[in-house]
Amino acid sequence: MAQECGVRVLCRFRPLNESEVKRGSKHIRYGGSDTVVVSGKPYMFDQVFPPNTTQEQVYESCAKDTVRDVLSGYNGTIFTYGQTSSGKTHTMEGRLHDPQMMGIIPRIAHDIFDHIYSMQENLEFHIKVSYFEIYLEKIRDLLDVSKTNLAVHENKNRVPYVKGCTERFVSSPEEMMEVIDDGKANRHVAVTNMNEHSSRSHSIFLINIKQEHLDTAHKLTGKLYLVDLAGSEKVSKTGAAGTVLDEARMINKSLSALGNVISALAEGTKTHVPYRDSKMTRILQDSLGGNCRTTIIICCSPSFSNEAETRSTLLFGQRAKSIRNTVCVNLELTAEEWKKKYDKEKQKGVDMRELVEKLQTELHHWRIGVCIPVMEQLSDKKQEVPCEHTAIARNGLAADVLESVQYEENINNLYKLLDDKDEEINLQTQLVEKMRLQLEVQEEILASSQQDCARVQGELCSLQRDNQEMRGEVREVLGALEELALKCDEKSREVSSLTLTDHRLSEQLVVKNEMLEATQSEIEELQELDAVQKRRTVDVLRVLLRDLGDMGTTICVQEIKMVCEDGVSLDDEFSVVRLFLTKLKSELKSLINRTKQLESTQEHASIKIQASERELASCHTVVSQYQVKIRSLTECVQKAEETRRALEITQHTLEEELTTLRTYESNQDLCELEKKKELLKINRSQQSQCPLIEGPRETPSDMLVQLREEFNNKQKMLNELKELNETLVLEQKRLQFEYETLRVQEQEKEIRLQELTMSNEKMENITDELRDFEETLARQLQSLHNLRKMFVQDLTTRVKKSNGPDREDGGGRVLHKHKISFLENNLEQLTKVHKQMMRENSELRCDLPKLEKRVCVMTERVKALECALREAKQRASRERSLYRQEVDRIKDAIRAKNMACCGHATLTAKPIRAGHHHTFSAGRGGPIVYSYHHV
Ligand code: ADP
Ligand code: MG
């Protein structure tokens, strides 16, 4: 099964770069496809790629077969060796996503899957990849930057592997490319100068392919290491020094270890191959002289300036070319096969144990001197394998073999020990790394907490400064307060003295106030009274005004109109009243005049009346006389009437007698005449009793006529007198009436006058009262003013007394006045100052608790800050411990997760079925893949 094969060495020359072209140095000659002549010396390799070789050509010649081999269950390794900038990375990686310029790794990523897709369907593949770099003999996981120093372990087949490195399952070329991209990105992250870093570190991309035949359950595994080595140039050339030199030595160490390993393997005589000299050689242990199809691409510069390096590279290649590897398919046995093998081995062990026992008994016999016959001795025929041993032993070589076996064992033990130590060292370094990280974290925390502390201290300092300042301020304030307190004391003393005086004055003032209050109460009473009086006055006035108005109306003063409204003010009313009164006065005057006139007329009238009365009386007497006369006349008339009637009767009789007499006249005229005469004489005698009848003795007819005329005249006179009497009575009556009305008017006017005079008197009284009240008020005010003056004077004198006894001398009154004014000014100023002081004192008293509070707050703040600082420190320490715990926890969790992930990933890894395009790759169907395919 195992077959020997040599390591393939391919040589690639990069094109000259611009500066090299300018120098135009050409010293390389390519002799066919496998030979290159440098400085006249030919070097033969499996293939030599001249500078114009394309990436694809390189891949086709050196990697394609390896991919196929790996997919067939072999291990494969492709690594590039050469000086810096000789094209190693270009060859291995190239431009990752450029179909033309992509190097071996991306091409493999695509090619593997292309192969798988073209393979038979009953194969299932599991591909997982790892990506790490070795820098300064530390393996750093490029897929998990937290893994900075991984250890190399050996599996049960004693094949070294990087323990704990991240393995990612990929199911498509894109995924694989993603992993490469991630790794490259991570490689860039921690590095400042990538060129330097890449030239000093070895990057290893590992593809692990596991395939299972679904029908036969046969499992094949293949590992493909794709290594981009660090620059192989000598340290001296780089001119490195110090840490860089150490670094270079370390790099060189690993490269020299590689050289040593290759030399050891190339020589083939040495039993010991120093794989363990470096991690890189350890990892590539299987690739160099082990179970691996290895391809080394030595990259060279065609430039003359790099000739030495090129030659050394070429020599390295030549040496490596002589390495022989033993390759075999990595077949994983099935359970049955394992069981069979186990049974076989078990039987072998049992046989071996039996043989050993037999040999031991024989040996024992020999040792005790018992000679064992040849026939009984264990022979070659009896036991094949032991026979060998015994034969060797017997041949004297047994010791050597045993020695070598022992040596092997020892070496193995030592290796184991070395591995253990290595692991221990790794663990320790990991621990150290962890500790370093922790230390860094702690340092960071410490730095931050120191910064915090410094900040807090700064704050504290500033606060302390503030505090100091505040204290100073407070001290100043306290000093000022003390001063103020002293001043305040002085002032309070002054105030106390002043308060005493003030007390006294206030007592006086109280008395005065009482007086004032009494006065005020009196005033109030008076005011009330006044108000009442006023009200009353107003009412009276109103009434008066109304009366006046009425009076005005009664006096028929149409022009004067009394406006007595409620809304009009008293003054207005007064003015109106005054106006009215003046008018009324004038009216009254006119009325009085008129009254006087009337009185005079009345007097005249009364005189007249008296005269009339007298006249009337005389008339009455006349009337009575006349009446008497009339009565007498009437009696006379009646008598005359009676006489007339008697006369008429007599006349009638006489006439009759006359007639008779006439008749008789003739006869007796004379006699009858005589008789008549006698009768007339009798009448006359009868009439002689009445004087009126007396008169000339006329004839009776004349007398009658006269009497009649007289009677008529008398009648006329009587009628006239009656008429006159009536008119006089009427006139008298009228006059009487007028007189009566005038009297009534006079009486009314008198009443009104009396009322007016009374109201006037009242008004005068009220005005007098008001005047009195005003006078009393003025007096009281004056007394108050005087009191105030007295108080001020008293105060001034007191102040003067307090300021010092007056040194009265004969300086005159002016000086005295000046002094007084000065003292008054002083007093005023002192009062002002006192007031101000009082104000300030009260303000300060107000401010004092504030300031005290502020001081308290400041001290509290300082205390709080100190507490906060203490707490911050405690918290920082607590947080530090917590952070440490957290970091540990996270690390544990990550570790556990990784473990779980590995396990889980193994369980859930998407198997890649041969003969099918993966959905992902098909879905994403990158043009890179297909373009690459059709190239
Ligand atoms: P190394 O990895 O060995 O230090 P690089 O691979 O980084 O060197 O190559 C250095 C430079 O030379 C890069 O710019 C690269 O593109 C260029 N270069 C190397 N080999 C070739 C080549 N075969 N064709 C074109 N350019 C190349
Ligand atoms: Mg490189």
Side-chain angles (χ1 to χ4, degrees):
M1 279 248 275
Q3 48 177 296
E4 206 173 86
C5 72
V7 170
R8 280 204 310 159
V9 179
L10 308 168
C11 176
R12 188 179 191 187
F13 279 88
R14 67 162 168 81
L16 286 167
N17 59 33
E18 276 181 30
S19 57
E20 288 167 344
V21 168
K22 273 179 198 163
R23 266 180 263 144
S25 53
K26 233 185 168 189
H27 64 109
I28 287 156
R29 204 157 40 84
Y30 305 100
S33 66
D34 59 352
T35 313
V36 62
V37 182
V38 178
S39 304
K41 194 183 172 192
Y43 297 91
M44 268 190 66
F45 300 103
D46 291 298
Q47 198 161 358
V48 174
F49 300 117
N52 58 355
T53 319
T54 60
Q55 294 280 64
E56 195 196 348
Q57 281 170 341
V58 172
Y59 177 74
E60 290 287 330
S61 337
C62 78
K64 209 165 177 77
D65 295 340
T66 314
V67 170
R68 210 173 296 132
D69 289 341
V70 171
L71 285 168
S72 310
Y74 291 99
N75 293 331
T77 302
I78 301 171
F79 69 83
T80 49
Y81 181 92
Q83 69 176 117
T84 300
S85 144
S86 59
K88 298 186 292 295
T89 311
H90 178 81
T91 304
M92 285 313 287
E93 293 171 10
R95 279 179 225 150
L96 288 171
H97 300 284
D98 184 341
Q100 297 292 326
M101 298 306 283
M102 60 167 61
I104 289 166
I105 294 173
R107 280 174 199 274
I108 285 174
H110 290 99
D111 207 17
I112 285 173
F113 287 96
D114 285 340
H115 274 292
I116 291 168
Y117 300 147
S118 64
M119 284 163 94
Q120 54 186 18
E121 282 186 24
N122 47 6
L123 285 173
E124 196 176 85
F125 287 88
H126 294 267
I127 302 169
K128 54 185 180 181
V129 291
S130 302
Y131 200 5
F132 47 88
E133 66 169 2
I134 303 167
Y135 182 65
L136 296 174
E137 284 304 289
K138 278 179 188 169
I139 301 168
R140 186 165 155 258
D141 197 337
L142 291 176
L143 301 181
D144 182 357
V145 284
S146 66
K147 295 171 184 172
T148 50
N149 192 8
L150 297 167
V152 182
H153 277 241
E154 279 181 3
N155 65 7
K156 58 181 183 289
N157 297 326
R158 304 205 59 194
V159 177
Y161 70 99
V162 179
K163 196 185 172 186
C165 82
T166 309
E167 291 178 315
R168 278 202 206 162
F169 279 90
V170 289
S171 54
S172 66
E174 287 81 12
E175 279 179 23
M176 200 182 275
M177 288 308 289
E178 264 177 40
V179 174
I180 296 163
D181 288 338
D182 284 356
K184 276 193 84 70
N186 283 338
R187 201 180 180 194
H188 281 268
V189 165
V191 185
T192 45
N193 187 348
M194 192 53 212
N195 284 336
E196 245 182 55
H197 181 81
S198 69
S199 74
R200 283 164 192 181
S201 64
H202 316 279
S203 79
I204 298 160
F205 187 70
L206 170 63
I207 304 169
N208 236 307
I209 301 170
K210 195 174 171 184
Q211 57 176 291
E212 189 182 352
H213 198 285
L214 295 172
D215 301 334
T216 57
H218 275 130
K219 286 174 188 168
L220 292 175
T221 54
K223 252 195 267 180
L224 177 58
Y225 279 101
L226 300 165
V227 187
D228 182 4
L229 289 172
S232 62
E233 62 273 0
K234 285 191 177 91
V235 181
S236 58
K237 200 176 179 182
T238 59
T243 46
V244 184
L245 183 68
D246 291 344
E247 211 173 89
R249 273 182 195 146
M250 288 290 263
I251 297 155
N252 250 33
K253 184 190 164 189
S254 95
L255 280 173
S256 60
L258 179 70
N260 291 340
V261 166
I262 281 171
S263 299
L265 288 168
E267 280 173 25
T269 48
K270 285 182 185 174
T271 49
H272 174 66
V273 184
Y275 291 115
R276 288 171 179 274
D277 282 4
S278 77
K279 283 195 174 157
M280 213 259 300
T281 48
R282 195 81 205 285
I283 292 163
L284 295 178
Q285 188 175 330
D286 226 16
S287 311
L288 302 164
N291 173 24
C292 185
R293 287 192 191 276
T294 306
T295 305
I296 300 172
I297 305 170
I298 50 167
C299 296
C300 305
S301 158
S303 169
F304 185 72
S305 60
N306 294 320
E307 192 203 353
E309 292 297 337
T310 308
R311 275 166 61 186
S312 108
T313 307
L314 289 170
L315 279 172
F316 173 87
Q318 284 219 312
R319 266 204 306 278
K321 212 180 137 28
S322 56
I323 298 168
R324 308 296 295 173
N325 284 356
T326 313
V327 294
C328 64
V329 174
N330 301 309
L331 184 70
E332 264 187 39
L333 297 174
T334 58
E336 262 180 44
E337 282 167 347
W338 273 116
K339 202 168 180 270
K340 265 185 209 168
K341 204 175 176 183
Y342 171 72
D343 288 342
K344 206 175 156 185
E345 291 296 319
K346 206 176 167 186
Q347 192 54 49
K348 226 175 172 177
V350 169
D351 291 346
M352 288 298 278
R353 225 172 284 133
E354 276 176 13
L355 182 68
V356 167
E357 276 171 14
K358 279 175 188 171
L359 281 169
Q360 273 177 346
T361 49
E362 197 184 323
L363 185 69
H364 183 70
H365 283 124
W366 279 109
R367 277 181 183 158
I368 55 173
V370 179
C371 191
I372 296 156
V374 179
M375 288 305 283
E376 285 175 20
Q377 284 174 13
L378 285 167
S379 65
D380 297 353
K381 286 162 196 171
K382 279 179 187 172
Q383 198 67 41
E384 214 174 271
V385 179
C387 177
E388 278 175 29
H389 290 283
T390 46
I392 291 160
R394 259 184 246 121
N395 288 338
L397 290 168
D400 287 348
V401 172
L402 274 170
E403 222 174 81
S404 70
V405 167
Q406 252 179 359
Y407 178 73
E408 277 284 313
E409 272 178 15
N410 277 343
I411 280 184
N412 282 339
N413 286 337
L414 281 168
Y415 277 145
K416 212 174 250 175
L417 212 70
L418 202 67
D419 276 349
D420 291 346
K421 291 286 166 200
D422 230 20
E423 193 167 351
E424 211 174 295
I425 287 163
N426 270 322
L427 276 171
Q428 290 298 326
T429 41
Q430 274 179 13
L431 208 72
V432 165
E433 192 67 24
K434 205 171 146 186
M435 295 302 278
R436 196 181 57 78
L437 276 170
Q438 274 184 17
L439 201 73
E440 273 175 17
V441 167
Q442 278 185 4
E443 269 170 5
E444 270 174 29
I445 291 165
L446 196 73
S448 69
S449 50
Q450 271 174 350
Q451 277 175 2
D452 283 352
C453 186
R455 192 168 42 77
V456 169
Q457 269 178 347
E459 274 178 28
L460 192 74
C461 279
S462 67
L463 280 166
Q464 275 173 347
R465 235 175 290 128
D466 284 354
N467 192 19
Q468 286 293 328
E469 281 171 19
M470 289 303 289
R471 273 185 186 161
E473 274 178 36
V474 167
R475 228 171 283 134
E476 280 173 21
V477 168
L478 282 169
L481 273 172
E482 274 174 19
E483 275 177 33
L484 276 167
L486 284 168
K487 277 183 186 174
C488 187
D489 282 346
E490 279 175 31
K491 292 290 164 194
S492 58
R493 273 196 293 279
E494 278 177 31
V495 165
S496 59
S497 66
L498 281 166
T499 24
L500 273 168
T501 45
D502 193 37
H503 271 302
R504 241 174 286 138
L505 285 167
S506 57
E507 276 165 13
Q508 283 178 11
L509 197 72
V510 164
V511 172
K512 297 288 170 196
N513 275 333
E514 278 169 7
M515 273 167 71
L516 192 72
E517 274 172 17
T519 325
Q520 270 176 347
S521 62
E522 270 177 35
I523 287 165
E524 276 169 13
E525 277 171 19
L526 280 166
Q527 273 174 345
E528 277 173 20
L529 211 71
D530 180 41
V532 170
Q533 289 288 351
K534 265 183 184 169
R535 238 175 288 131
R536 271 172 62 192
T537 317
V538 167
D539 291 343
V540 166
L541 271 172
R542 291 253 161 84
V543 170
L544 275 172
L545 286 170
R546 221 176 295 131
D547 290 346
L548 275 170
D550 292 345
M551 208 165 82
T553 46
T554 45
I555 294 163
C556 303
V557 185
Q558 270 85 16
E559 313 93 63
I560 302 163
K561 270 182 189 167
M562 211 32 239
V563 184
C564 190
E565 286 166 14
D566 289 340
V568 181
S569 68
L570 209 66
D571 292 337
D572 295 344
E573 277 185 16
F574 260 118
S575 56
V576 170
V577 165
R578 249 175 238 146
L579 193 76
F580 187 76
L581 274 171
T582 46
K583 282 181 180 175
L584 210 65
K585 268 178 190 173
S586 59
E587 194 61 30
L588 266 171
K589 271 175 193 170
S590 65
L591 269 171
I592 287 159
N593 288 333
R594 225 174 127 190
T595 318
K596 275 174 187 172
Q597 279 175 0
L598 278 167
E599 274 172 356
S600 60
T601 47
Q602 198 190 355
E603 272 172 22
H604 282 295
S606 56
I607 292 159
K608 232 176 158 181
I609 285 162
Q610 278 171 5
S612 306
E613 272 175 354
R614 271 192 306 277
E615 208 178 320
L616 195 66
S618 63
C619 280
H620 272 298
T621 49
V622 170
V623 165
S624 56
Q625 280 170 3
Y626 275 118
Q627 274 175 346
V628 171
K629 214 176 177 179
I630 286 163
R631 230 172 287 128
S632 63
L633 278 170
T634 340
E635 279 169 9
C636 277
V637 166
Q638 276 172 356
K639 278 174 187 172
E641 201 74 28
E642 278 170 11
T643 24
R644 188 187 54 99
R645 233 169 285 134
L647 282 170
E648 272 175 358
I649 292 161
T650 9
Q651 187 193 1
H652 187 71
T653 49
L654 283 168
E655 273 174 7
E656 277 175 3
E657 277 175 10
L658 191 61
T659 51
T660 49
L661 280 165
R662 264 177 195 169
T663 48
Y664 283 143
E665 210 168 324
S666 43
N667 324 30
Q668 297 172 346
D669 260 339
L670 284 151
C671 68
E672 276 177 31
L673 222 92
E674 286 292 330
K675 274 176 187 174
K676 275 179 185 180
K677 276 176 183 176
E678 275 175 56
L679 270 170
L680 269 172
K681 274 176 192 169
I682 299 159
N683 276 349
R684 263 184 211 160
S685 66
Q686 277 177 342
Q687 274 177 355
S688 64
Q689 289 176 309
C690 186
L692 281 169
I693 298 168
E694 291 172 12
R697 284 185 190 167
E698 288 169 7
T699 63
S701 59
D702 288 340
M703 271 179 71
L704 194 72
V705 170
Q706 273 179 349
L707 276 168
R708 271 183 190 161
E709 276 177 3
E710 206 175 329
F711 177 75
N712 282 335
N713 285 334
K714 290 287 176 189
Q715 200 71 34
K716 269 180 197 171
M717 253 180 80
L718 190 71
N719 284 338
E720 277 174 6
L721 279 168
K722 267 183 185 173
E723 276 174 12
L724 188 72
N725 190 26
E726 275 173 7
T727 50
L728 277 169
V729 166
L730 278 169
E731 185 71 14
Q732 192 192 3
K733 270 181 186 171
R734 194 183 60 80
L735 282 169
Q736 196 78 34
F737 181 72
E738 270 187 9
Y739 174 70
E740 283 297 317
T741 51
L742 278 169
R743 194 182 272 174
V744 167
Q745 275 181 5
E746 198 192 346
Q747 276 174 357
E748 279 176 356
K749 273 176 187 172
E750 266 178 6
I751 291 159
R752 268 184 202 174
L753 198 68
Q754 275 174 1
E755 279 176 356
L756 274 168
T757 42
M758 270 172 75
S759 65
N760 214 6
E761 275 171 11
K762 271 180 190 172
M763 283 276 285
E764 275 170 4
N765 285 336
I766 286 161
T767 40
D768 286 346
E769 276 175 5
L770 271 167
R771 214 172 293 128
D772 290 346
F773 172 69
E774 274 175 3
E775 275 170 10
T776 48
L777 205 70
R779 271 201 303 280
Q780 276 170 0
L781 279 167
Q782 190 62 39
S783 65
L784 265 170
H785 191 69
N786 290 339
L787 271 168
R788 215 184 79 189
K789 261 187 181 176
M790 272 163 69
F791 172 71
V792 169
Q793 274 172 0
D794 191 31
L795 204 73
T796 327
T797 48
R798 273 165 206 281
V799 167
K800 274 173 197 169
K801 272 176 196 170
S802 68
N803 280 351
D806 273 338
R807 276 171 284 164
E808 274 184 22
D809 47 14
R813 290 179 82 180
V814 182
L815 197 69
H816 193 70
K817 269 183 186 171
H818 274 300
K819 262 185 187 175
I820 284 163
S821 62
F822 174 68
L823 282 167
E824 273 173 359
N825 282 338
N826 265 359
L827 182 71
E828 270 176 26
Q829 277 172 359
L830 269 168
T831 356
K832 271 182 199 167
V833 167
H834 178 233
K835 275 178 188 170
Q836 209 178 327
M837 286 305 290
M838 290 292 275
R839 258 205 308 279
E840 277 175 7
N841 196 14
S842 61
E843 277 171 14
L844 279 166
R845 264 184 201 157
C846 284
D847 285 347
L848 188 67
K850 275 185 208 165
L851 283 164
E852 277 173 355
K853 214 178 270 176
R854 217 167 137 193
V855 169
C856 281
V857 167
M858 284 302 291
T859 41
E860 273 171 18
R861 205 175 153 199
V862 167
K863 274 179 193 168
L865 276 165
E866 279 170 359
C867 281
L869 185 69
R870 222 174 297 129
E871 274 174 20
K873 275 179 184 170
Q874 283 172 359
R875 204 164 48 234
S877 65
R878 238 190 345 262
E879 271 173 12
R880 213 177 301 148
S881 63
L882 274 171
Y883 182 78
R884 218 176 295 144
Q885 282 173 8
E886 189 68 10
V887 164
D888 288 350
R889 196 184 61 74
I890 287 164
K891 277 187 179 168
D892 290 345
I894 286 164
R895 214 174 294 132
K897 202 174 152 191
N898 282 336
M899 297 290 279
C901 196
C902 290
H904 191 63
T906 316
L907 285 170
T908 56
K910 226 185 274 176
I912 305 145
R913 287 289 294 276
H916 293 282
H917 267 284
H918 194 269
T919 45
F920 182 71
S921 63
R924 284 172 69 171
I928 300 163
V929 181
Y930 292 107
S931 59
Y932 164 68
H933 270 296
H934 299 299
V935 166

